Amino acid sequence: MAVARKTSQILTHLAIGFVITYAVTGSVMLGGLAILIEPLLNVLLVPFHERAWERKVHSAKAGQRLMVVTLEKISLTAMHMGVAFTVIFFATGSMAFGGLAAILEPVCNVLLMPFHDKLWDNLESGQTVRTA
């Protein structure tokens, strides 16, 4: 199940990267480039990010835990923004396109991936998925 979950996570990142790049540039070729580079970089970097923050979150006192978790999420978003900007900037040479992708891509990932993870948590625990 872990391999299927990771594959699904990668495919979700790929789809988000392609849709945003295509929407920003109108180019299928650049969208394809984005799905090869940008989401894979994020998937590779996120475990390092999580390990770096895990100790800080667990060692935080109860009153400070919310602040540490909030800072971790801000840091994760900044990492996504940096990767998105860098990939699109180097692909297009445009700071405007890089900036737009840097805003859209992490927002979509940060908003959509928790739903993805909840779906997989439900699948792994044998619960049915409810929509409403």
Side-chain angles (χ1 to χ4, degrees):
M1 202 64 140
V3 172
R5 183 179 185 145
K6 185 54 84 173
T7 301
S8 176
Q9 184 182 35
I10 291 170
L11 291 174
T12 302
H13 275 283
L14 294 174
I16 290 169
F18 177 81
V19 168
I20 290 171
T21 304
Y22 180 75
V24 169
T25 66
S27 170
V28 172
M29 188 171 84
L30 288 177
L33 175 67
I35 68 168
L36 292 174
I37 298 171
E38 191 273 335
L40 292 175
L41 286 174
N42 281 322
V43 168
L44 292 172
L45 292 173
V46 165
F48 294 106
H49 183 272
E50 288 174 349
R51 272 189 241 126
W53 279 92
E54 186 175 1
R55 280 184 245 116
K56 292 175 185 160
V57 170
H58 289 299
S59 66
K61 294 178 181 155
Q64 296 175 333
R65 189 157 305 193
L66 179 61
M67 178 61 75
V68 173
V69 169
T70 301
L71 290 173
E72 185 266 337
K73 295 301 179 193
I74 291 169
S75 173
L76 180 63
T77 303
M79 184 195 77
H80 276 285
M81 292 176 85
V83 170
F85 175 84
T86 302
V87 169
I88 301 303
F89 173 73
F90 280 109
T92 65
S94 170
M95 289 185 76
F97 286 161
L100 187 57
I103 292 168
L104 292 175
E105 193 276 337
V107 167
C108 289
N109 277 311
V110 168
L111 292 176
L112 295 175
M113 291 314 289
F115 292 110
H116 174 274
D117 293 340
K118 175 109 171 111
L119 172 70
W120 276 97
D121 290 343
N122 288 344
L123 289 171
E124 289 172 348
S125 68
Q127 295 178 359
T128 59
V129 179
R130 289 186 269 160
T131 60

